[in-house]
């Protein structure tokens, strides 16, 4: 009953910027943590950034100082502002949300993933 839709991926030159968006919809009571992951060809999926419902953030060392995660709770949307992009940032980026669904106890959590959006950084 919950889905995530990412947008904002594309092709950008090294040093450029992109902003990814991820909107959650469905029978949502609340959303706890939201985060961004990425997976490059031949590599495992890795956590990029995470933000709690209260706004606390964490970042992978590889993106600290360049990426910023934020959220708009009224819109059930999380963003990833990516600056100073490098070719090694090229990957499929996935949105993740830890949700609570209406009609279920508050201690029941549903983890939802988006379909992914491709970010390609040219050198």
């Amino acid at each position: 009953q919950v889905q995530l839709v990412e947008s904002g991926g594309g092709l950008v030159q090294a040093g450029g910027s992109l902003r990814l968006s991820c909107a959650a919809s469905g029978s949502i009571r609340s959303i706890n943590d939201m985060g961004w992951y990425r997976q490059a060809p031949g590599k495992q999926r890795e956590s990029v950034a995470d933000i709690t419902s209260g706004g606390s953030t964490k970042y992978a060392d590889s993106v600290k100082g360049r990426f910023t995660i934020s959220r708009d709770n009224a819109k059930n949307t999380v963003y990833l502002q990516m600056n100073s992009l490098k070719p090694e940032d090229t990957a499929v980026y996935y949105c993740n949300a830890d949700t609570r669904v209406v009609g279920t106890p508050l201690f029941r959590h549903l983890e939802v993933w988006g379909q992914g959006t491709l970010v390609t950084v040219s050198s």
Side-chain angles (χ1 to χ4, degrees), residues 56-90:
S56 298
T57 60
K58 292 182 179 180
Y59 298 93
D61 289 341
S62 59
V63 306
K64 285 182 179 178
R66 300 188 297 119
F67 291 9
T68 302
I69 188 171
S70 61
R71 64 190 289 170
D72 185 337
N73 291 332
K75 297 181 178 180
N76 288 332
T77 299
V78 63
Y79 307 93
L80 186 67
Q81 178 66 46
M82 304 184 294
N83 298 326
S84 301
L85 283 163
K86 305 174 181 179
E88 50 263 43
D89 294 318
T90 295

Side-chain angles (χ1 to χ4, degrees), residues 1 5-6 9 11 18 25-26 29 31 57 59 62 66 69 74-76 88 91 98 101 105 114-115 118 121 123:
Q1 294 282 24
V5 179
E6 300 107 328
L11 175 64
L18 285 174
S25 62
R29 182 193 297 275
I31 303 177
T57 60
Y59 298 93
S62 59
R66 300 188 297 119
I69 188 171
K75 297 181 178 180
N76 288 332
E88 50 263 43
D98 177 21
V101 181
Q115 82 288 344
L118 177 63
V121 184
S123 60

